[in-house]
Amino acid sequence: MAGKIEKSDAEWRKQLSPEQYRVTREKGTERPFTGAYWDFNENGVYKCVGCGAELFSSEHKFDAGCGWPSYFKPLAADNLENDTDKSHGMTRVEVHCKKCGAHMGHLFDDGPAPTGQRYCINSASLKFEKK
Ligand code: FE
């Protein structure tokens, strides 16, 4: 993937909605069962709302019952990066876009076969494109 995207806080605020800004730039979490994609099953690609990188596919989406869109694997693992998140008294694996740093959500190891992974992602971090 091409070089990283660096934007000022003001530029991100201008580009994103307040909720998209809060989630992607401040590592926020949308309330479950409120986002655009937790109950959404069209075929296509989920892009980063910050930079348009293709991050997830409807082919890997599953209903985890948690109120956030969930995927058992990313479209290309190389487009994502992980961090350790020790907030809220838990140790979790944080997931963000490698290109623009947008916070996506968290990665858990209780997903379905074949990967056993569960990418629990905020709808506010994604932009769906029908294929
Ligand atoms: Fe991005």
Side-chain angles (χ1 to χ4, degrees):
M1 182 174 284
K4 298 206 176 193
I5 291 179
E6 302 271 353
K7 289 189 183 184
S8 71
D9 203 50
E11 286 174 304
W12 284 123
R13 283 187 188 276
K14 194 172 173 189
Q15 174 186 332
L16 303 168
S17 74
E19 175 74 347
Q20 289 168 343
Y21 179 89
R22 184 182 72 83
V23 172
T24 62
R25 309 317 305 182
E26 299 183 321
K27 293 185 164 55
T29 301
E30 71 197 13
R31 284 187 297 121
F33 307 104
T34 65
Y37 303 131
W38 70 273
D39 186 19
F40 180 87
N41 292 299
E42 295 203 35
N43 291 326
V45 168
Y46 294 83
K47 297 183 169 185
C48 173
V49 77
C51 72
E54 298 193 348
L55 300 181
F56 296 97
S57 166
S58 56
E59 286 177 41
H60 312 132
K61 194 173 188 290
F62 70 100
D63 182 8
C66 61
W68 292 280
S70 303
Y71 308 86
F72 60 80
K73 69 178 202 178
L75 200 49
D78 194 43
N79 292 352
L80 294 170
E81 279 179 341
N82 298 338
D83 263 335
T84 300
D85 174 9
K86 293 195 171 177
S87 66
H88 305 292
M90 298 174 270
T91 299
R92 294 178 293 172
V93 178
E94 187 269 352
V95 180
H96 58 266
C97 174
K98 188 173 184 176
K99 191 167 181 178
C100 77
H103 171 66
M104 290 289 131
H106 292 87
L107 171 59
F108 301 96
D109 60 6
D110 57 3
T115 63
Q117 293 186 314
R118 172 168 64 97
Y119 283 82
C120 182
I121 305 299
N122 291 281
S123 299
S125 302
L126 302 170
K127 184 170 171 34
F128 177 77
E129 187 176 294
K130 200 167 181 166
K131 285 270 162 99

